[in-house]
Amino acid sequence: MVEILEEKCVGCGLCVQDCPVRNLSVADGKAAVRGNCMECGHCFAVCPSGAVQITGCPSDGVIELNQERLPVDGDSLLELIKSRRSIRNFQAKAVSRETWSKVLEAGRFTASAANNQDVKYTIVQEELEIVKKYVWDGFHIMLESMRKIQGEEHPFVMQLKGMIRLHENNSIHDPLFFNAPALLIITSASPLNGGLATSNIELMAHAEGLGVLISGFIQTALSRNEAACKYLNVDIKQICSCLLVGYPAVKYQRSVPRKAANIEWK
């Protein structure tokens, strides 16, 4: 909840103006809390005298903002976005917990609908070989389902069977995990919240020199395997994305062309 430190409050009313749920008012020259707080933090961020506290949330990670400039300019941010690639060639190098903590901060501070902050992150690194077996079990379940729906000769079914053959023949080409050292599973009751966190985490990982592949195959395989989700302690209905994470074994020299943006002005 929001608390006002009266000894610091100057009664400017900025928090009242910026509160999205009209939870604040000014009385006798001091801000006051009414109720119905969603803990979005706007009052905390806008207060010029630091008179607002949000109880129940750790204060680590809070930064003071430079009012003269943004932390990153638009050109640099766009360059980061354009230089991102989906990685399918990883080094045999583990990701440290310190690096993980920094990358996941990007998810922690991502916007969420109604400020629910309901996103969970499951990092699989030490037990990756165990989880791979569960994923492949789910992959077989997915194949059987697609066979019934699309038929034995459907191109997608043929692709799935080819991936399984490579796996069963112990090919040096890993068709599902690409020898990545870690798997990150992002879950949320809201696909939007999970998707927003996924995007920011991928960009932060890229900025830290890591590579990411958002794997729809792994996500679907886990979503078909209750035993896997039980082992991982994730809600089978709330898997938003599965990210393979590690250090890229390839260096790209340039960004790639994209189709023109589909924009309609009204």
Side-chain angles (χ1 to χ4, degrees):
M1 287 296 296
V2 169
E3 290 185 358
I4 306 297
L5 302 177
E6 291 191 2
E7 66 275 15
K8 290 186 175 183
C9 180
V10 297
C12 64
L14 289 175
C15 59
V16 177
Q17 297 173 28
D18 205 40
C19 178
V21 293
R22 300 296 182 262
N23 180 47
L24 299 166
S25 62
V26 175
D28 299 324
K30 301 291 182 181
V33 181
R34 293 174 177 171
N36 304 316
C37 180
M38 62 185 289
E39 298 184 0
C40 66
H42 279 289
C43 55
F44 178 93
V46 78
C47 180
S49 60
V52 181
Q53 287 188 334
I54 299 179
T55 62
C57 290
S59 60
D60 63 299
V62 174
I63 60 172
E64 295 296 321
L65 302 181
N66 186 328
Q67 299 302 314
E68 303 301 322
R69 63 173 179 82
L70 291 171
V72 62
D73 64 86
D75 288 339
S76 296
L77 178 58
L78 188 58
E79 183 178 352
L80 179 70
I81 293 170
K82 287 183 175 182
S83 63
R84 180 217 64 83
R85 304 300 307 147
S86 295
I87 302 301
R88 294 177 177 82
N89 193 353
F90 293 92
Q91 299 179 41
K93 179 182 177 182
V95 181
S96 70
R97 291 206 173 195
E98 292 76 16
T99 302
W100 272 117
S101 295
K102 193 169 184 179
V103 168
L104 294 181
E105 278 286 272
R108 178 187 171 199
F109 282 91
T110 295
S112 59
N115 194 40
N116 282 332
Q117 301 182 53
D118 63 343
V119 182
K120 177 184 176 183
Y121 308 101
T122 302
I123 302 169
V124 183
Q125 194 158 269
E126 288 80 6
E127 300 182 13
L128 183 59
E129 292 305 314
I130 296 174
V131 172
K132 281 183 179 181
K133 295 177 182 179
Y134 278 111
V135 173
W136 278 110
D137 288 343
F139 198 87
H140 280 275
I141 296 171
M142 177 172 61
L143 172 60
E144 291 307 313
S145 176
M146 292 298 101
R147 276 173 163 162
K148 293 177 182 178
I149 296 171
Q150 297 177 328
E152 197 71 31
E153 302 303 320
H154 190 277
F156 183 60
V157 173
M158 298 293 288
Q159 179 185 3
L160 298 182
K161 289 193 293 185
M163 292 171 68
I164 289 174
R165 278 196 300 271
L166 284 173
H167 171 65
E168 291 179 344
N169 292 334
N170 296 314
S171 170
I172 58 172
H173 173 66
D174 182 344
L176 193 55
F177 289 89
F178 301 98
N179 300 311
L183 171 67
L184 172 62
I185 303 164
I186 297 179
T187 54
S188 171
S190 166
L192 174 62
N193 291 349
L196 290 171
T198 297
S199 181
N200 278 353
I201 284 171
E202 184 187 27
L203 284 177
M204 187 64 188
H206 177 42
E208 286 296 302
L210 293 168
V212 172
L213 174 66
I214 302 173
S215 175
F217 280 129
I218 295 176
Q219 180 181 352
T220 304
L222 286 179
S223 298
R224 301 292 181 91
N225 191 338
E226 292 184 5
C229 293
K230 183 177 180 180
Y231 180 82
L232 289 162
N233 192 30
V234 299
D235 190 323
I236 196 169
K237 296 180 180 179
Q238 294 188 4
I239 301 175
C240 297
S241 59
C242 294
L243 287 65
L244 294 171
V245 182
Y247 291 92
V250 60
K251 292 183 178 180
Y252 296 99
Q253 303 300 317
R254 61 195 58 82
S255 62
V256 300
R258 292 294 194 201
K259 295 178 182 179
N262 186 354
I263 302 171
E264 182 174 344
W265 299 90
K266 294 288 189 179

